[in-house]
Amino acid sequence: MGKVVVVGDRYTVSLFKLIGTEGLVLDDPLNLETTLIKLKKREDIDLILVANDLYNPVKEKVESLVIEQKKPLVTVIPTPFSQGQPLDVKGLILRALGFG
């Protein structure tokens, strides 16, 4: 079974590390494209979770990387600072890995 990697702000990455995921903190959304290119080359990763606060400002630039990506699967997730419904982190990861 491959790894789950979360890319986001310090708070979001820290929360996901509590459940055992690897994380990368990015302060500048402009670095997201380069980060995704590096991560997709890694054979040990099955799922990359990208905080929507990083994704939205550069959506047009990185959208092709997210859509074309088969493995690892790239998914955009809300953060605690995003408006929207509460996120069931455990359920999201289990469904992404085929267990939910």
Side-chain angles (χ1 to χ4, degrees):
M1 183 162 64
K3 291 182 180 181
V4 176
V5 176
V6 64
V7 180
D9 59 84
R10 289 187 195 289
Y11 185 76
T12 303
V13 170
S14 296
L15 288 175
F16 276 88
K17 282 187 175 184
L18 290 174
I19 58 171
T21 64
E22 186 178 325
L24 296 169
V25 175
L26 286 184
D27 295 321
D28 186 358
L30 297 176
N31 296 332
L32 182 59
E33 182 179 23
T34 307
T35 301
L36 288 176
I37 290 169
K38 288 179 184 177
L39 289 175
K40 76 177 199 173
K41 292 179 183 177
R42 287 182 47 187
E43 302 263 335
D44 62 331
I45 298 174
D46 281 342
L47 176 64
I48 301 171
L49 302 173
V50 178
N52 67 350
D53 297 339
L54 286 174
Y55 178 75
N56 287 337
V58 293
K59 182 178 181 177
E60 293 79 26
K61 191 174 182 181
V62 298
E63 191 168 37
S64 64
L65 285 173
V66 173
I67 292 171
E68 294 171 3
Q69 196 66 23
K70 298 209 183 338
K71 186 182 182 225
L73 177 65
V74 179
T75 303
V76 180
I77 60 168
T79 66
F81 306 109
S82 304
Q83 292 185 345
Q85 305 232 351
L87 177 65
D88 176 17
V89 175
K90 182 179 179 183
L92 176 66
I93 291 174
L94 289 173
R95 279 192 308 273
L97 297 175
F99 295 108

